[in-house]
Amino acid sequence: MLASVLKPVDDTRMFEKFGVSLADSGEFEVSIIGYPSNGPPIYPGMKFYPLTGFSRISIKRLAAPWVIFKRINQVKPEVIIINTPELLLVAILNRIFFGRKIVYDVLENYYRNIRFTQAFHLITRLILAPLVRFVELLTSPLVHHFLLAEKGYSRELSFARPHTILQNKFPKAIALKYAGKRSKGCSKLIFSGTLAPSTGVFEAIRLCKQLHKVDNSYSLVIIGYCALPEVLSEMRKDIQDSPFITLISGDQLIPHRHILDEISSADMGIIIYPPNPSTRSSIPTKLFEYMALQLPILIRHTVESHQLVEQYKAGIVVHAVPDYRTLSAEIKKHHFTPTIPDSIYWESDAQNLIDCLKLI
């Protein structure tokens, strides 16, 4: 059973990577419970249990772990993989009372993510962040295995032992469906994924505006989920006088296939993160997506992310205060045709997931 509170049942990691790999191995029956999607997928060897929808901060969300607890005890899985700390108690109770094996898929350094982003008000962050870390530390001895979405978490999270690193690489099988559709121009930019100040959406808007001043052929599509209404409102205000910027977002999750369609029709992807402790160790999921789909990248993030882009000639590292005329000329001059090795795809790590589940 793959279980999440906020991730949809067709989430790219839970479903497209973990679920598909486990089901296709022929060795596992897979169930996924999570936030409702626009229509749960149908896949051989998998069952889907969408929760009733709720807002990010609500009584219904507080009740979601106990809804999941009831569903787990109806399905009776042998192994439970959770990817949010609010399900740790549910998982541990299942181990204590029913002997089920528990795997904690750590997608973020949750302490830093809560403490250093604007997902909650400051007072809430100061209380919630240490509380979440306390729960992780308290329950860690009862977790059979940890899966870490970032290499850096093995340094940051000393309690996550034993662990297997499974980065957010992109499935090659999906990449092959979309890579051939990609545009071959150089002026249509895209920013995809989570829309928040911490992920750099306002930096992407600023970059496109400056490039548009140099050359009015530049445009930008912003597509993804924005959890905070005030941030969504700020984005709309920021682009209201910029008809060359299109925002595809709202308070509903956008199906991953729609995001991939937009990536396929773009010329370059923007990955510019403002400095923040919450993303210090991350290689963004969309970096693997863009590289897998052979979409050139404009990036400013971490040294490790820069090295990936430079190693495979996949784009341009943008300096903190670039000369936009020079940057535009560099974009127009280069025709990026990166050669992506198999190690960049999810399939290179899928067997590691299967092996660790067999051993616990």
Side-chain angles (χ1 to χ4, degrees):
M1 170 75 83
L2 299 159
S4 182
V5 172
L6 288 181
K7 296 294 183 183
V9 290
D10 58 354
D11 171 66
T12 180
R13 185 171 173 95
M14 278 205 307
F15 166 54
E16 292 176 345
K17 298 170 189 175
F18 285 24
V20 168
S21 295
L22 294 173
D24 285 356
S25 74
E27 301 182 57
F28 301 90
E29 294 178 6
V30 181
S31 298
I32 299 180
I33 184 167
Y35 200 82
S37 66
N38 285 351
I42 298 173
Y43 199 89
M46 265 193 264
K47 294 180 180 178
F48 300 90
Y49 300 98
L51 298 167
T52 303
F54 49 82
S55 59
R56 191 179 183 88
I57 302 175
S58 65
I59 298 297
K60 282 187 176 181
R61 177 177 178 177
L62 291 175
W66 304 110
V67 173
I68 292 173
F69 182 82
K70 288 172 63 178
R71 178 63 70 181
I72 288 172
N73 286 292
Q74 290 173 353
V75 176
K76 296 180 173 59
E78 295 176 61
V79 180
I80 303 168
I81 303 177
I82 62 167
N83 60 25
T84 174
E86 61 195 295
L87 290 179
L88 278 168
L89 180 58
V90 167
I92 296 307
L93 288 175
N94 268 276
R95 173 173 182 171
I96 292 171
F97 291 111
F98 305 106
R100 294 179 180 128
K101 295 178 179 179
I102 307 304
V103 177
Y104 184 16
D105 182 25
V106 185
L107 305 182
E108 303 165 358
N109 183 328
Y110 293 105
Y111 172 86
R112 291 186 180 180
N113 185 265
I114 295 168
R115 174 67 181 82
F116 298 110
T117 68
Q118 299 176 15
F120 302 97
H121 294 296
L122 178 59
I123 299 300
T124 304
R125 300 202 309 259
L126 292 174
I127 296 170
L128 190 58
L131 178 61
V132 165
R133 179 51 47 86
F134 173 74
V135 171
E136 289 180 319
L137 289 167
L138 183 68
T139 58
S140 61
L142 292 174
V143 174
H144 289 88
H145 201 82
F146 292 83
L147 304 176
L148 305 182
E150 304 287 354
K151 291 180 181 178
Y153 293 168
S154 62
R155 300 185 302 271
E156 295 177 2
L157 308 176
S158 59
F159 62 85
R161 303 288 188 275
H163 68 252
T164 298
I165 296 169
L166 294 175
Q167 293 176 287
N168 280 311
K169 299 177 181 180
F170 194 72
K172 188 173 185 177
I174 299 176
L176 293 175
K177 295 179 183 178
Y178 288 89
K181 303 177 184 178
R182 196 180 63 72
S183 169
K184 301 296 182 183
C186 55
S187 299
K188 185 178 179 182
L189 311 177
I190 188 168
F191 182 96
S192 62
T194 302
L195 308 183
S198 61
T199 62
V201 65
F202 293 104
E203 278 74 7
I205 292 171
R206 191 177 305 116
L207 176 66
C208 183
K209 286 182 176 181
Q210 294 297 328
L211 287 173
H212 189 80
K213 288 179 182 179
V214 172
D215 183 336
N216 63 12
S217 69
Y218 284 101
S219 64
L220 172 65
V221 170
I222 301 169
I223 181 168
Y225 175 58
C226 183
L228 301 174
E230 60 270 25
V231 173
L232 186 59
S233 177
E234 186 179 354
M235 279 191 293
R236 287 171 174 160
K237 183 178 179 181
D238 203 8
I239 67 172
Q240 63 184 358
D241 296 324
S242 303
F244 51 91
I245 300 178
T246 303
L247 175 62
I248 306 172
S249 180
D251 57 1
Q252 299 295 317
L253 294 167
I254 296 176
H256 193 222
R257 63 184 181 277
H258 293 173
I259 295 175
L260 293 177
D261 283 336
E262 290 295 334
I263 293 173
S264 297
S265 65
D267 299 324
M268 294 198 84
I270 299 176
I271 303 175
I272 298 182
Y273 278 67
N276 190 297
S278 68
T279 55
R280 186 178 296 158
S281 295
S282 71
I283 294 182
T285 300
K286 61 185 169 185
L287 175 53
F288 289 114
E289 286 185 343
Y290 294 171
M291 291 182 70
L293 297 179
Q294 299 186 18
L295 178 72
I297 301 161
L298 294 171
I299 188 167
R300 184 171 72 240
H301 186 31
T302 63
V303 172
E304 190 175 5
S305 295
H306 295 174
Q307 288 173 342
L308 266 177
V309 170
E310 291 175 334
Q311 180 180 358
Y312 298 112
K313 297 179 173 56
I316 300 170
V317 175
V318 180
H319 298 293
V321 184
D323 179 287
Y324 293 99
R325 192 169 295 279
T326 302
L327 178 59
S328 177
E330 191 174 358
I331 292 170
K332 303 281 185 178
K333 179 178 68 175
H334 288 289
H335 296 284
F336 299 94
T337 54
T339 301
I340 306 302
D342 284 342
S343 61
I344 226 67
Y345 296 105
W346 163 252
E347 284 80 357
S348 66
D349 284 353
Q351 190 60 45
N352 294 335
L353 170 65
I354 294 168
D355 290 344
C356 82
L357 292 185
K358 286 180 180 179
L359 291 173
I360 61 173

